[in-house]
């Protein structure tokens, strides 16, 4: 029971802390649609399952004990976040050139892919999942229970970010923020670049 409480508490605190996942769900919900935001949230949940899967099969231990491998993952994640950031800044510049245009819609697959890659390439999620299973979950805990923990972590991510998507896509909220779409793209683009730069700097150090 103590282990379960620890897993639940740590997961909830980790999920609600701001990061790249929150930035992408908020941006897609505000500027695109509720559906895009919710699908981005589902993609994030799928990304979490990747972290859980490699942790359960033992690759998490390899990552934890191999600084070069973890730094490689950091570098890939940092590059992807910086790429996303510059994409949003480019969108903002496009809106400056054509201020009457509305944000282009994206496919369901594109929304899922954005959420999946943002989470799957986020080394902070790697640290969270690996640390949780290595330090909180007992090695004697049955595999079925550990799988249940992993599904719970993914489900919490989906439900939390789907709730964020529903909030930011509400008609009143969405209408206000849509008028500020250039600033939103600049803000979230800058945040993603900052997240990526911090990861890159940490990897170099």
């Amino acid at each position: 029971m103590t282990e379960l409480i620890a897993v639940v508490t740590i997961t909830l605190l980790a999920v609600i802390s701001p990061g790249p996942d929150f930035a992408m769900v908020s941006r897609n919900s505000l500027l695109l649609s509720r559906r895009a935001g919710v699908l981005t949230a589902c993609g994030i949940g799928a990304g979490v399952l990747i972290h859980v899967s490699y942790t359960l099969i033992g690759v998490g231990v390899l990552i934890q004990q191999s600084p070069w491998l973890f730094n490689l993952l950091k570098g890939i994640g940092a590059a992807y976040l910086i790429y996303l950031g510059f994409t949003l800044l480019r969108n903002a510049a496009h809106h400056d050139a054509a201020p009457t245009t509305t944000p282009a819609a994206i496919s369901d697959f594109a929304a899922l892919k954005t959420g999946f890659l943002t989470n799957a390439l986020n080394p902070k999620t790697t640290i969270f999942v690996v640390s949780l299973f290595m330090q909180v979950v007992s090695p004697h805990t049955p595999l079925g229970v550990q799988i249940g923990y992993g599904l719970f972590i993914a489900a919490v991510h989906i439900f939390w970010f789907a709730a964020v998507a529903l909030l930011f896509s509400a008609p009143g909220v969405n209408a206000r923020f849509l008028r500020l779409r250039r600033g939103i793209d600049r803000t979230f683009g800058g945040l993603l670049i900052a997240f990526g730069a911090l990861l890159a700097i940490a990897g170099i150090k």
Side-chain angles (χ1 to χ4, degrees):
M1 181 59 71
T2 302
E3 180 181 275
L4 175 61
I5 293 173
V7 169
V8 170
T9 303
I10 294 171
T11 298
L12 292 176
L13 292 175
V15 170
I16 64 176
S17 62
D21 293 339
F22 183 85
M24 287 311 303
V25 170
S26 301
R27 188 267 173 186
N28 285 352
S29 303
L30 285 168
L31 300 187
L32 299 176
S33 67
R34 173 171 294 181
R35 184 180 182 88
V38 172
L39 287 172
T40 302
C42 292
I44 288 170
V48 171
L49 290 178
I50 296 297
H51 296 289
V52 171
S53 297
Y54 66 63
T55 299
L56 290 180
I57 64 176
V59 178
V61 177
L62 175 62
I63 293 174
Q64 191 178 45
Q65 296 178 351
S66 302
W68 69 268
L69 179 57
F70 184 60
N71 286 333
L72 175 62
L73 293 175
K74 271 188 177 181
I76 295 173
Y80 181 68
L81 292 179
I82 292 172
Y83 163 76
L84 282 179
F86 277 112
T87 299
L88 297 188
L89 292 180
R90 188 172 66 246
N91 288 341
H94 174 71
H95 293 320
D96 284 335
T100 59
T101 61
T102 56
I106 61 173
S107 67
D108 291 350
F109 176 74
L112 281 168
K113 183 180 72 172
T114 297
F116 175 78
L117 291 177
T118 300
N119 185 274
L121 296 177
N122 186 357
K124 287 188 175 181
T125 309
T126 300
I127 295 171
F128 160 62
V129 174
V130 172
S131 298
L132 185 66
F133 278 89
M134 296 296 108
Q135 300 177 25
V136 177
V137 178
S138 169
H140 302 295
T141 298
L143 179 60
V145 175
Q146 294 190 44
I147 293 174
Y149 288 157
L151 293 174
F152 168 77
I153 294 169
V156 170
H157 277 76
I158 292 173
F159 283 120
W160 167 253
F161 289 113
V164 171
L166 294 177
L167 171 64
F168 282 110
S169 61
V173 175
N174 184 268
R176 291 192 193 95
F177 280 100
L178 194 57
R179 292 193 294 269
L180 305 172
R181 61 184 182 272
R182 284 171 290 176
I184 291 171
D185 270 343
R186 288 195 189 97
T187 299
F188 287 129
L191 285 173
L192 290 173
I193 291 173
F195 285 132
L198 289 173
L199 287 176
I201 292 171
I204 292 172
K205 289 182 178 180

